[in-house]
């Protein structure tokens, strides 16, 4: 996909709540920060470990963005990776890491994708886990829009490989805050949310008539 999706799962709380924000934000380049760069490096470290690398051997090396993997970062990342590995070992048939998933069916954007940190196929349950490396705000898995869009895409991607799925579990790990949040729903409930995403996406791309709806969560980031 060329460029970043306008209707990305990571900003779904904003564009699903405030469709007009999509047109309003056009022309503004995506910016990064030291915290975001550190988070990107932590995700790469987690991916390497979940794919079989030994964490101790990676300390002192650098991520693709130049950030050095420190022993402190490793200890934080291990809280996430060890929990995911334990969960996958206990219930999972397969663990997919940094899984790129098509989301065009719901957002309507051609060739749009999102990337789930970890997807576990666990019999009749589909599990989507997400690492958040920030130190600030605890992010709740309860009805989390970003993770539910990943779950929708994962459900469609693996519905003929695993399952048949009856339940979806969303997990958010925030190791630096000692937080681990889980939320479950039925496949039918997730599919109903998918219909909501389609409606919101259609409204968001209906510029210049898309409404502006300010909200605490939607405008925060």
């Amino acid at each position: 996909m060329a460029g970043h999706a306008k209707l990305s799962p990571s900003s779904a709380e904003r564009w699903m709540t405030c469709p007009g924000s999509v047109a309003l934000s056009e022309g503004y380049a995506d910016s990064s920060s030291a915290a975001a760069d550190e988070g990107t490096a932590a995700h790469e470290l987690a991916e390497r470990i979940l794919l079989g690398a030994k964490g101790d051997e990676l300390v002192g090396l650098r991520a693709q963005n130049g950030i050095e993997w420190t022993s402190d970062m490793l200890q934080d990342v291990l809280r996430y990776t060890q929990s995911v590995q334990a969960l996958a070992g206990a219930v999972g048939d397969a663990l997919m890491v940094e899984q790129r998933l098509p989301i065009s069916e719901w957002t309507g954007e051609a060739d749009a994708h999102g990337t789930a940190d970890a997807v576990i196929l666990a019999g009749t349950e589909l599990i989507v886990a997400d690492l958040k490396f920030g130190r600030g705000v605890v992010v709740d898995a309860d009805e989390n829009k970003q993770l539910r869009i990943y779950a929708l895409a994962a459900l469609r991607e693996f519905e003929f490989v695993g399952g048949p799925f009856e339940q979806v579990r969303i997990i958010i790990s925030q190791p630096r805050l000692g937080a681990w949040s889980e939320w479950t729903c039925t496949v039918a409930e997730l599919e109903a949310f998918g219909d909501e995403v389609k409606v919101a996406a259609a409204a968001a791309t209906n510029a210049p008539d898309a409404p502006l709806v300010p909200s605490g969560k939607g405008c925060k980031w």
Side-chain angles (χ1 to χ4, degrees), residues 33 42 86 95 114 119 144 168 192-193 195 197 219:
S33 65
L95 167 63
V119 177
N144 184 278
V168 175
F193 169 72
D195 292 336
V197 176
C219 297

Side-chain angles (χ1 to χ4, degrees), residues 74-152:
L74 173 63
Q75 292 310 308
D76 289 326
V77 167
L78 284 175
R79 294 188 182 95
Y80 161 73
T81 57
Q82 289 173 349
S83 296
V84 169
Q85 288 168 327
L87 180 61
V91 303
D93 299 323
L95 167 63
M96 276 73 70
V97 181
E98 291 298 314
Q99 185 68 39
R100 193 165 182 260
L101 300 164
I103 60 172
S104 299
E105 177 181 341
W106 299 277
T107 67
E109 274 192 281
D111 198 31
H113 290 74
T115 301
D117 293 343
V119 177
I120 302 171
L121 309 184
T124 59
E125 183 178 51
L126 175 69
I127 303 172
V128 177
D130 190 67
L131 167 64
K132 297 197 180 297
F133 204 63
R135 299 178 184 272
V137 179
V138 174
V139 181
D140 198 346
D142 187 28
E143 297 188 336
N144 184 278
K145 291 180 173 64
Q146 176 187 4
L147 273 292
R148 280 193 285 172
I149 292 175
Y150 290 156
L152 279 165

